[in-house]
Amino acid sequence: MSRLPWLAGIAALAAAPIALAGFHLGLLTEVLILGLFAMSLDLQLGYARMVSFGHAGPYGVGAFAAALLMAKAGWPLPCALAGAVAITAVVAVPVGWLCCRAGGVAFAMLTLAFAQLAYAVAYKWQSLTGGSDGLAGVPRVAGPFGLELFTGRVGYYALTVALVGSALLAARAFVASPMGRALVAVRENEARAEALGFDPRRLRLAAFVLSNALAGLAGALYAGHVLFVSPELLLWTVSGHVLVMVILGGTGTLFGPFLGAAAFLMLEHEVSALTESWALILGFIFIVTVIVMPEGMWGLGARLLRGARRPPAVEPRHAAP
Amino acid sequence: MDQTALFVVQGLNALALSALLLFIALGLTLVFGIMRIVNFAHGAVYMLGAYVGATAGQATGSFWLAIPAAAVAAALLGWLFERLAFRPLYGREGTAFLLVTFGLALCLTEAIRLTWGADARRLEPPEFLGGVVFVLDEPFPSYRLFLIAAGIVAAGGLWLVLHRTRLGLLIRAVSQNPAMAGALGVDVRLLRGAVFAIGCGLAGAGGVLAVPLITAYVGMGASVVIDAFVVVMIGGMGSFVGTVAGSALVAATQTFGNFYLPEMALGITYALMIVVLLLRPGGLFGEEE
């Protein structure tokens, strides 16, 4: 990809606080956070064909971790975000080890069960999580070294842009790395990749942990954005919605999920203003997308731009061992 | 209160719950076994059965008419959806079906909310099932005994259809090797539609049977479908015996868990599933993929 779209994107994001009023800046922040959430799922879904139906799990764990670190332990915002990512990643190792034993549909069901387990814990552990009421009034604790820079609306937006951008670069680096190429090799032909000496389970576990850590970051950013967390964040509908975003945007593209998240939020805002039953329309759009547009918005756009017949999202190339 | 009687009553409660779970899980496992499709909309179909049944029961005043009405409505929907949404997808990987049925779950839930509104619907069982019977001097609702019987009839009936009829023979043939069955002249597409319709019909019947216990409400599908997934995963995807065992196990865990460890009950079921899959990744009676 040429450098121009990157520069244009950075310029647009930098100009946003000047051009957009408060509400819309908040909305853009939310799009970026949800985009990061969806992108983290795309790492599993697009590059390893691991369909997680429990991605709300790491998202909610990250959100609760950040909220609790700030509200109960009084950690400054950046430290709480880092702590939340670390906690999510540590939780993801045993969960991923277990889930990656299974493939396909069983993997989907296992991830779903773990997310529901997390929901059950968050719902019942009232003294820590506030139970069904959740935790309201999470503070954005400023740090000692002028870190209150990030606690305002524009500052939080800037922090979000920086972190989401870094996460995107990290994900791209992972996908382009030998490990990422090996993961794609496993996706394309597991038996052959195994014969070449790769260990599919360990590769999947690596993708799972990275994906969950990034989802945890998204959750933590979300908690800092809306300053409220509740067990609803862990509900299976959240896992479903993020899948919708990735599929709408295009799997195996990393950028597509951001597009999908933006489209999803726009649909939610626009359609719910017109009619109460936006879920009906969303579900219908989703069904049609899966059937007629499996490559998603990003894939379709790329195909139209290149005028090619059907370029694969990731060119099948021999992965370097 | 006598401890033995208490235990027996809780055991009967568990059996009644497992009968309800069985209606949903049997359909799930049948559809998965034959079509390799996980139907995420199964809970929404169950909910549709509950609402259609409640409405039909109120309109006709007969509980016995509500059950076939619900089952037929759910089966029709399944048949239609198989034609419209699954047919273009055969040949794609299993996850495409998972996603499409998730879309159906969204649509169906919302359509039910629009049609019936947010209020819960009730349905009274027939008079002779409305009372209680005494088990070891403890009162026990006779409707729950009826549920246990219905669960046995459904599981037995499905087993007989699968193993003792020509339709069942063809279904099993398609599940073993669809290409070969098709080459031998079996209409595989028609059979898949029929299987999906049967699975949905079972869920619809389960839905209406649940109404006298828990009423019909929006959201009843979401809570039950996760339990049914757990049942099927514990028993082994596609295994008939496993589904029966899994539903009994999950129902027992939930019933006794709620009674003895109410704080933990919600988590114990998932923990049970995780332990089973740790020991046997394919489920208790399933084969490893």
Side-chain angles (χ1 to χ4, degrees):
Chain A
M1 192 177 286
S2 72
R3 210 163 282 169
L4 198 64
W6 281 92
L7 291 174
I10 292 168
L13 287 174
I18 307 160
L20 294 179
F23 169 73
H24 285 105
L25 193 64
L27 201 61
L28 182 59
T29 312
E30 197 174 336
V31 167
L32 286 171
I33 293 170
L34 284 180
L36 171 63
F37 182 29
M39 185 206 75
S40 71
L41 178 61
D42 190 26
L43 271 181
Q44 291 181 58
L45 184 67
Y47 294 89
R49 201 163 293 148
M50 296 150 70
V51 184
S52 169
F53 240 100
H55 215 48
Y59 185 66
V61 168
F64 266 105
L68 288 172
L69 284 175
M70 286 192 287
K72 304 232 160 155
W75 285 27
L77 178 65
C79 303
L81 293 179
V85 173
I87 290 172
T88 321
V90 168
V91 172
V93 173
V95 172
W97 182 82
L98 211 67
C99 292
C100 292
R101 286 159 60 98
V105 168
F107 175 82
M109 296 299 109
L110 264 176
T111 47
L112 176 66
F114 272 108
Q116 287 296 115
L117 184 60
Y119 172 78
V121 170
Y123 195 83
K124 286 282 175 189
W125 199 348
Q126 282 200 354
S127 55
L128 188 72
T129 63
S132 58
D133 296 337
L135 292 174
V138 176
R140 281 182 200 153
V141 181
F145 313 111
L147 292 174
E148 57 272 9
L149 211 63
F150 299 128
T151 51
R153 192 198 289 268
V154 176
Y156 197 77
Y157 166 76
L159 181 70
T160 305
V161 169
L163 287 177
V164 171
S166 317
L168 179 61
L169 289 177
R172 273 175 66 87
F174 173 78
V175 168
S177 71
M179 196 185 227
R181 311 299 308 186
L183 199 66
V184 173
V186 168
R187 178 192 72 184
E188 290 301 319
N189 190 332
E190 182 160 348
R192 193 179 291 176
E194 212 167 347
L196 284 169
F198 294 120
D199 183 347
R201 254 183 77 184
R202 281 177 60 183
L203 286 168
R204 285 203 197 100
L205 180 58
F208 186 88
V209 173
L210 178 63
S211 159
N212 276 22
L214 292 181
L217 175 62
L221 280 170
Y222 186 76
H225 177 53
V226 298
L227 304 176
F228 171 68
V229 286
S230 79
E232 301 276 301
L233 287 174
L234 290 153
L235 212 55
W236 65 281
T237 46
V238 175
S239 305
H241 285 167
V242 70
L243 259 178
V244 173
M245 291 176 209
V246 179
I247 304 283
L248 268 183
T251 54
T253 61
L254 294 185
F255 288 100
F258 284 93
L259 215 58
F264 184 91
L265 269 187
M266 247 171 62
L267 267 177
E268 189 178 7
H269 278 261
E270 298 300 315
V271 181
S272 63
L274 291 176
T275 147
E276 268 178 53
S277 58
W278 80 280
L280 188 69
I281 293 160
L282 177 77
F284 185 71
I285 291 176
F286 185 58
I287 293 175
V288 172
T289 308
V290 172
I291 294 176
V292 305
M293 201 174 75
E295 74 263 70
M297 287 156 62
W298 187 270
L300 191 73
R303 191 171 73 184
L304 293 179
L305 269 181
R306 286 180 214 166
R309 264 177 56 82
R310 227 195 123 111
V314 175
E315 292 85 15
R317 213 189 288 160
H318 287 294
Chain B
M1 196 185 262
D2 185 6
Q3 282 299 314
T4 346
L6 204 64
F7 193 80
V8 169
V9 165
Q10 289 299 327
L12 284 174
N13 272 328
L15 278 179
L17 178 61
S18 93
L20 272 184
L21 277 176
L22 204 54
F23 271 95
I24 305 146
L26 276 179
L28 263 183
T29 204
L30 179 73
V31 167
F32 181 81
I34 313 299
M35 306 167 77
R36 301 278 133 188
I37 289 172
V38 174
N39 180 15
F40 219 92
H42 216 66
V45 174
Y46 162 84
M47 186 159 77
L48 178 76
Y51 274 97
V52 170
T55 305
Q58 274 162 0
T60 61
S62 163
F63 179 76
W64 303 112
L65 282 178
I67 298 175
V72 167
L76 264 179
L77 178 91
W79 182 77
L80 207 67
F81 193 73
E82 194 274 341
R83 302 217 104 188
L84 294 178
F86 285 176
R87 295 243 166 135
L89 291 179
Y90 289 125
R92 296 253 301 269
E93 76 260 37
T95 50
F97 294 96
L98 196 68
L99 299 172
V100 151
T101 55
F102 177 74
L104 175 65
L106 285 182
C107 285
L108 195 53
T109 308
E110 200 55 38
I112 288 170
R113 197 204 309 275
L114 283 179
T115 313
W116 278 279
D119 295 337
R121 298 294 165 119
R122 300 165 60 83
L123 178 65
E124 296 303 328
E127 220 159 276
F128 76 99
L129 290 176
V132 293
V133 288
F134 283 88
V135 180
L136 298 175
D137 295 332
E138 291 295 327
F140 188 77
S142 40
Y143 184 71
R144 296 193 184 191
L145 285 180
F146 164 72
L147 277 184
I148 298 174
I152 294 171
V153 168
L158 186 64
W159 190 87
L160 282 178
V161 167
L162 283 178
H163 292 269
R164 291 285 181 272
T165 66
R166 183 164 172 78
L167 175 69
L169 184 75
L170 296 179
I171 287 175
R172 282 181 295 136
V174 170
S175 95
Q176 295 267 323
N177 190 336
M180 181 61 83
L184 290 171
V186 180
D187 189 340
V188 176
R189 292 173 129 202
L190 188 71
L191 217 56
R192 281 179 170 151
V195 163
F196 196 67
I198 292 173
C200 287
L202 275 171
V208 65
L209 289 175
V211 177
L213 283 185
I214 57 170
T215 75
Y217 61 96
V218 175
M220 68 187 288
S223 59
V224 86
V225 74
I226 308 268
D227 283 343
F229 279 142
V230 173
V231 164
V232 174
M233 292 299 293
I234 287 179
M237 292 293 264
S239 158
F240 183 88
V241 182
T243 305
V244 175
S247 64
L249 210 56
V250 167
T253 321
Q254 289 192 345
T255 310
F256 287 102
N258 264 325
F259 192 71
Y260 292 108
L261 293 164
E263 286 300 302
M264 303 287 201
L266 210 53
I268 291 178
T269 321
Y270 301 117
L272 176 75
M273 164 174 165
I274 290 162
V275 169
V276 166
L277 291 176
L278 196 63
L279 300 173
R280 284 185 63 92
L284 290 176
F285 292 87
E287 294 152 21
E288 270 196 57
E289 283 179 49

